[in-house]
């Protein structure tokens, strides 16, 4: 099914639980580049070359320079209509879980409440020595790599790098949401990075109705009940608008 149809939209009115998985695509319309697009490259580095612990140990200044560049960009952008539509949808559903692979905090800025961050948050840092988590305001770059305000240890961005484990609590919550939801939405993600990529499959096997929005086909397209080819910033507000109109007519 390619269109926003009242037949499947009605499922949102009766669903007791909706889970959503978002990826970099949902923030593309806010001006945050995805990794896989050409504009995802920074100084000709591929993200995989910088977003890993070995790169940080070898050249922490370079990795921090890249994260500072991305953090400043993210601090300047705003949520787009896709983010706002999800915050609105959350108000209309009994149980709503927003699982995101994004690190940009834009879902929170848009007003979403039940957010599960699988890959951390670029606006936070973590001390390699004592584990203390701090905000960006605490950072001091006068000696190159920023130091922990508590113990003087090295700070790293509080994000999940390639090859690292996901935060245990977040992944448990995400699996639980995928296993128990009536509707699972896959939005702006290529759904190829494990374990996030396993979530729509789990939901599908448990009988959830799968809705995908992406300008391009992904591995999810093959089994999604509805796969809409388009931008989340355009289609999500349309879905919410139609749901709202439906409620007013009831
Ligand atoms: P990804 O694998 O999730 O791919 C991006 C997807 O978004 C693609 O399938 C693309 O077709 C789709 N897309 C592009 N524009 C869209 C739009 N307007 N509406 C809907 N879909 C759209 O992401 P990636 O860029 O390969 O990143 C890999 C990892 O790095 C993920 O964890 C990702 O979330 C993270 N990352 C996060 C951010 C962020 O926080 N904003 C930015 C870059 C990368
Ligand atoms: Zn410390």
């Amino acid at each position: 099914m390619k269109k926003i149809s009242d037949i499947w939209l009605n499922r949102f009115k009766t669903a007791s639980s909706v889970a959503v998985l978002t990826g970099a695509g949902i923030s593309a319309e806010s001006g945050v580049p995805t990794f896989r697009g050409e504009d995802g490259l920074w100084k000709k580095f591929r993200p995989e070359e910088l977003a890993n612990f070995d790169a940080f140990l070898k050249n922490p200044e370079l990795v921090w320079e890249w994260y500072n560049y991305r953090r400043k960009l993210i601090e300047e952008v705003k949520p787009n209509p896709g983010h706002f539509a999800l915050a609105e949808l959350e108000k209309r559903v009994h149980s709503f879980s927003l699982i995101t692979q994004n690190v940009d905090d834009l879902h929170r800025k848009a007003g979403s409440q039940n957010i599960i961050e699988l890959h951390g948050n670029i606006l936070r840092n973590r001390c390699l020595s004592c584990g203390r988590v701090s905000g960006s305001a605490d950072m001091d770059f006068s000696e190159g790599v920023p130091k922990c305000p508590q113990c003087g240890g090295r700070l790293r961005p509080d994000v999940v790098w390639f090859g690292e484990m996901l935060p245990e609590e977040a992944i448990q919550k995400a699996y639980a949401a995928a296993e128990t939801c009536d509707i699972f939405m896959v939005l702006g993600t290529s759904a190829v990075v494990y374990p996030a990529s396993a979530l729509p499959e789990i939901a599908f096997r448990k009988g959830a109705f799968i809705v995908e929005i992406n300008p391009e086909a992904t591995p999810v397209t093959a089994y999604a009940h509805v796969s809409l080819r388009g931008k989340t910033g355009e289609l999500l507000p349309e879905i919410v608008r139609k749901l709202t109109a439906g409620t007013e007519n009831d």
Side-chain angles (χ1 to χ4, degrees):
M1 246 185 285
K2 296 259 154 53
K3 285 204 315 242
I4 300 177
S5 126
D6 289 341
I7 300 168
W8 60 262
L9 268 185
N10 280 335
R11 287 175 179 266
F12 281 91
K13 294 183 188 157
T14 50
S16 52
S17 164
V18 174
V20 169
L21 172 67
T22 66
I26 196 161
S27 297
E29 288 159 87
S30 290
V32 185
T34 62
F35 278 177
R36 299 208 161 78
E38 259 308 297
D39 55 357
L41 294 179
W42 175 77
K43 294 190 178 178
K44 302 212 165 71
F45 290 101
R46 283 185 300 121
E48 292 85 341
E49 294 176 89
L50 297 168
N52 72 75
F53 196 62
D54 282 348
F56 184 73
L57 289 181
K58 270 190 215 130
N59 196 343
E61 288 85 5
L62 177 75
V63 173
W64 263 116
E65 199 190 328
W66 182 52
Y67 273 94
N68 274 336
Y69 161 79
R70 291 180 58 204
R71 187 166 44 79
K72 287 206 180 93
L73 190 150
I74 279 166
E75 276 168 356
E76 280 165 16
V77 300
K78 293 191 173 64
N80 67 58
H83 296 106
F84 287 119
L86 287 180
E88 202 48 50
L89 192 58
E90 181 166 12
K91 292 184 200 153
R92 298 175 184 281
V93 176
H94 176 62
S95 161
F96 189 89
S97 306
L98 200 169
I99 307 159
T100 188
Q101 299 164 86
N102 293 346
V103 296
D104 58 25
D105 217 35
L106 289 178
H107 286 304
R108 194 167 285 111
K109 284 185 183 144
S112 285
Q113 301 288 319
N114 190 22
I115 305 168
I116 302 168
E117 288 177 330
L118 290 181
H119 292 171
N121 190 312
I122 204 167
L123 304 181
R124 289 193 310 256
N125 309 295
R126 184 154 36 90
C127 173
L128 283 184
S129 304
C130 74
R132 180 179 185 264
V133 172
S134 51
S136 320
D138 294 351
M139 280 192 297
D140 173 10
F141 286 95
S142 55
E143 290 173 55
V145 177
K147 301 250 168 65
C148 171
Q150 183 165 280
C151 79
R154 277 181 177 186
L155 288 182
R156 61 165 282 176
D158 191 21
V159 298
V160 177
W161 280 332
F162 289 98
E164 292 186 326
M165 303 280 284
L166 271 64
E168 188 57 32
E169 195 188 333
I171 193 70
Q172 290 305 338
K173 279 188 185 168
Y175 278 129
E179 279 167 8
T180 54
C181 67
D182 302 313
I183 301 175
F184 192 93
M185 301 178 88
V186 190
L187 308 171
T189 175
S190 54
V192 290
V193 184
Y194 183 83
S197 57
L199 295 168
E201 255 180 70
I202 292 170
F204 176 72
R205 271 192 259 113
K206 290 277 181 178
F209 190 77
I210 313 290
V211 178
E212 174 181 55
I213 303 179
N214 197 310
E216 290 171 23
T218 77
V220 174
T221 310
Y223 60 86
H225 298 94
V226 173
S227 189
L228 301 172
R229 280 297 142 272
K231 296 179 173 179
T232 40
E234 292 167 6
L235 294 173
L236 283 171
E238 206 177 320
I239 288 174
V240 171
R241 232 178 350 257
K242 284 193 172 221
L243 281 173
T244 314
T247 315
E248 279 162 7
N249 291 339
D250 280 347

